[in-house]
Amino acid sequence: MSFNKTVSTITQLLEQLGQDANLQIDSAQRQAAIAAADISNELKQALIQADSLAVKNQLDVCPDVYCVFVAHEEEDDADDSRDSGSNNTQVIEKAA
C-alpha cells in the first residue's frame, strides 16, 4: 500500500473515530472499525492500544522544525527607511 493511501486511510479512520460517539464509548465497536480499516497490522495494533508514538513511527511522521533569526533594526534605520519610502512614493506620484 502506498504511503499516501495509508495516510489518507488512517486520517479517515481517525475522523470517523472522533465523530462517532458509539466508537468513543464502545471499545468493541472501535476495535471492529480499526480492524476493518485497510491499514497495516502494526498500525491497527497501535491504534487499538492508543499508542500515539507507535502510530507516528509507523507513519514516519516527523514535523520539520525551522528556526529563523532576524536582526533587530535600530530606530534610526527605521526612520531612514520610512523617509526613503515616502520619497519613492513622491517620485512615483510625479512620474504618473
Side-chain angles (χ1 to χ4, degrees):
M1 181 185 304
S2 73
F3 177 75
N4 289 337
K5 180 158 174 56
T6 300
V7 171
S8 176
T9 303
I10 194 102
T11 302
Q12 291 171 355
L13 175 62
L14 291 174
E15 182 180 7
Q16 177 187 6
L17 293 174
Q19 289 179 348
D20 191 338
N22 290 329
L23 295 176
Q24 294 174 16
I25 296 170
D26 188 357
S27 64
Q29 285 184 349
R30 182 176 50 250
Q31 288 181 6
I34 293 170
D38 185 23
I39 55 176
S40 70
N41 288 331
E42 293 84 8
L43 269 173
K44 289 177 184 179
Q45 288 303 314
L47 287 170
I48 289 171
Q49 296 170 0
D51 187 351
S52 62
L53 182 60
V55 172
K56 289 177 187 177
N57 289 336
Q58 288 292 319
L59 295 175
D60 194 26
V61 176
C62 180
D64 294 330
V65 177
Y66 298 95
C67 183
V68 177
F69 292 97
V70 179
H72 177 71
E73 292 184 22
E74 294 183 20
E75 290 182 23
D76 292 339
D77 293 338
D79 290 339
D80 292 342
S81 65
R82 279 189 224 121
D83 291 340
S84 65
S86 63
N87 290 340
N88 290 341
T89 304
Q90 291 173 355
V91 170
I92 293 171
E93 290 174 356
K94 289 178 183 177

